[in-house]
Amino acid sequence: MTAGAAAAMAAQRQALEVLRTRLERLERTAHSQKHTDLANQQRLHWELLSKALDDPELAEVLDLFEAPVSAKQRRQYIYANALYTNALFYYRIGNISREEFFGYIRGILQNPVVREYWHATSHQRATIADGSDEAELGRMVDDLLTQLEESDTEEWWVVGEPPSA
């Protein structure tokens, strides 16, 4: 009887190990699929922005800014959007940490056009669902931009508190 119970437990243990292995494989596949989906979305986003950059009439469709902008500003804002969403994508797939994202954004916010773009699109970011990484990162950028604009130091690279890992 003891031998039978031991054999049953060994069979159960083996079955559980097989199930655990399958579950791990499925989780890896799902994670890989998420990265693939994000990469495809990023590629599509860039293709759409590229078309708008190449064709002023298409760029007008993206003119959703709080104040009227010139065709030159619109093109610059579209490019600023591409820079930001590229960094967001890199963060989402794990190529950069939140701290690295912060440092990159702090750098591009030194450009006045990027700052104008960020202000001009604040109403669009207000529609992003709370709790999403995009909403959290957007608020982080909002706070950083406020700190940069209020700072009285020329050493912009020390402004703001990088997020903890």
Side-chain angles (χ1 to χ4, degrees):
M1 188 154 105
T2 303
M9 285 179 58
Q12 260 185 339
R13 199 171 299 137
Q14 184 178 5
L16 287 173
E17 182 61 26
V18 168
L19 287 173
R20 186 187 61 75
T21 303
R22 284 183 186 172
L23 181 59
E24 286 174 357
R25 191 175 319 123
L26 285 171
E27 287 172 346
R28 282 193 306 273
T29 301
H31 186 70
S32 176
Q33 184 61 46
K34 181 179 179 184
H35 280 184
T36 300
D37 292 346
L38 283 169
N40 287 334
Q41 178 61 40
Q42 180 69 8
R43 188 175 306 106
L44 177 60
H45 183 258
W46 175 246
E47 287 174 14
L48 291 169
L49 291 181
S50 293
K51 288 178 187 252
L53 287 170
D54 292 341
D55 186 338
E57 291 178 4
L58 293 178
E60 288 179 19
V61 174
L62 295 177
D63 194 342
L64 305 171
F65 310 110
E66 292 186 10
V69 297
S70 68
K72 177 183 174 182
Q73 285 175 303
R74 187 179 309 114
R75 287 176 53 83
Q76 291 171 330
Y77 287 5
I78 291 169
Y79 193 74
N81 175 268
L83 289 175
Y84 176 74
T85 56
N86 188 60
L88 180 64
F89 170 72
Y90 264 46
Y91 170 75
R92 284 180 169 164
I93 65 169
N95 281 2
I96 60 174
S97 66
R98 190 174 277 245
E99 186 175 345
E100 291 169 316
F101 176 87
F102 181 88
Y104 174 76
I105 296 300
R106 183 168 45 194
I108 67 171
L109 285 174
Q110 297 314 299
N111 185 295
V113 174
V114 174
R115 288 181 185 209
E116 290 172 16
Y117 158 77
W118 197 257
H119 287 299
T121 57
S122 64
H123 67 287
Q124 293 173 13
R125 284 187 308 284
T127 65
I128 298 172
D130 282 338
S132 70
D133 60 343
E134 189 170 355
E136 291 174 21
L137 292 173
R139 281 190 298 277
M140 183 178 74
V141 175
D142 289 339
D143 293 342
L144 175 59
L145 181 53
T146 299
Q147 292 173 38
L148 286 166
E149 291 176 337
E150 293 174 353
S151 173
D152 59 357
T153 182
E154 294 294 317
E155 297 174 340
W156 58 267
W157 55 92
V158 299
V159 174
E161 184 67 29
S164 56

